[in-house]
Amino acid sequence: MKPKVICHIMASVDGHIQVERWTAPSGDMPKTDLMKTYSDIGKTLCTDAWTFGKNTVRDIFHDKTCIFPIEVMDTEKDTPIGKTSVYIGSRISERMFISFDPDADIIYTASQLRGCDMLAVLDQATATPRYLAHLRKMGISYIVVEDIMKLENALETINKEFGIRSISLQGGGVLNGTMLNNGLIDELSLVVYPGLDCNKTSVSIFDNTIDSLIGRQSLTFLSVQQKDNGVVWLRYKVNHK
């Protein structure tokens, strides 16, 4: 059984998620205050874990908790293990942070992100013995799956091996789109930022080459709340047919 997946995302009025491209909020309110509103809403969802796509991890945690020095890893000298594997590392925190890393090349320098123990989801075609040894040395849990693009199998393993019953999916757009296309998102928690992007090249909430969802999925309205400073919180149930 897979965990419940809630796509919790903040987007501009025109549906884009690259914060640096958004117009400034009205008045003297800084963007960071509005982002805190998004974060506070996320805490009310009470999920067992939260997750970002790989690009989002790189953008947010580069030079903070994770570093990505290419010279540290030389995957050409390592042979991918070619089989599934599970390792349970440090389990101190109440929640877990899940990182989907299809290339198995993120070099972590700590076993936690924002106070949450980490779980790396890897592909057997790229995870090498040397890289897995690095994760074990750091105390980072991991699962190696047969095909990381078959996310349902990965989610079922996360539930079975780590007891995770609910996940807050917070992008990026490619991971969100892949989850949606595969019918794995159960709820959409959309926090609307009172600003615009207006750039067609910007990443959107579901930014992936996906099959048409017509006839396969629909949304049922659950609730709406108006927050401070023009922020609106919408919730929808995602129906799969």
Side-chain angles (χ1 to χ4, degrees):
M1 182 176 69
K2 78 170 187 66
K4 178 180 180 179
V5 176
I6 302 174
C7 182
H8 177 61
I9 202 79
M10 190 175 208
S12 60
V13 171
D14 52 340
H16 295 293
I17 60 175
Q18 288 179 268
V19 178
E20 69 277 6
R21 292 179 180 263
W22 296 345
T23 57
S26 61
D28 298 325
M29 184 63 60
K31 282 184 183 179
T32 51
D33 285 10
L34 278 65
M35 295 301 296
K36 184 178 185 303
T37 298
Y38 164 69
S39 177
D40 290 343
I41 291 172
K43 294 174 183 176
T44 69
L45 299 176
C46 299
T47 57
D48 296 329
W50 54 297
T51 181
F52 292 149
K54 180 171 182 175
N55 289 336
T56 308
V57 174
R58 176 177 285 117
D59 290 344
I60 292 182
F61 297 106
H62 182 61
D63 290 332
K64 293 181 181 179
T65 303
C66 307
I67 56 175
F68 305 83
I70 297 175
E71 67 273 15
V72 171
M73 298 301 298
D74 186 354
T75 52
E76 291 182 356
K77 294 182 179 179
D78 287 333
T79 301
I81 63 173
K83 62 181 180 180
T84 60
S85 179
V86 176
Y87 173 74
I88 300 176
S90 175
R91 292 300 305 271
I92 300 171
S93 63
E94 216 174 290
R95 300 178 77 211
M96 295 196 78
F97 174 85
I98 303 172
S99 174
F100 289 85
D101 182 10
D103 302 309
D105 61 0
I106 298 178
I107 309 302
Y108 299 99
T109 59
S111 63
Q112 291 190 337
L113 288 179
R114 295 184 185 175
C116 294
D117 296 327
M118 287 191 289
L119 167 60
V121 181
L122 309 167
D123 194 301
Q124 68 176 26
T126 57
T128 66
R130 184 150 63 104
Y131 183 73
L132 298 181
H134 166 72
L135 295 183
R136 292 193 297 271
K137 181 180 179 180
M138 297 302 302
I140 296 173
S141 301
Y142 62 76
I143 61 171
V144 181
V145 296
E146 184 176 355
D147 183 354
I148 198 170
M149 297 310 295
K150 295 181 179 178
L151 292 171
E152 184 170 10
N153 294 339
L155 291 176
E156 288 176 351
T157 302
I158 288 170
N159 172 265
K160 178 182 177 182
E161 300 294 341
F162 294 89
I164 293 175
R165 298 162 297 176
S166 57
I167 296 174
S168 174
L169 170 65
Q170 301 178 29
V174 172
L175 180 58
N176 291 347
T178 302
M179 288 274 196
L180 185 68
N181 188 47
N182 285 279
L184 300 176
I185 295 178
D186 301 289
E187 184 178 320
L188 173 61
S189 169
L190 174 60
V191 182
V192 181
Y193 170 87
L196 298 168
D197 183 320
C198 298
N199 189 321
K200 65 181 180 181
T201 65
S202 295
V203 179
S204 62
I205 301 169
F206 301 107
D207 193 45
N208 202 0
T209 302
I210 59 177
D211 302 326
S212 173
L213 298 178
I214 297 175
R216 296 198 294 125
Q217 297 186 31
S218 64
L219 300 178
T220 298
F221 173 75
L222 296 176
S223 65
V224 59
Q225 291 184 34
Q226 181 176 340
K227 298 295 185 178
D228 293 338
N229 306 307
V231 174
V232 177
W233 180 26
L234 295 160
R235 297 184 74 175
Y236 294 93
K237 177 185 176 184
V238 182
N239 306 299
H240 308 288
K241 301 178 181 179

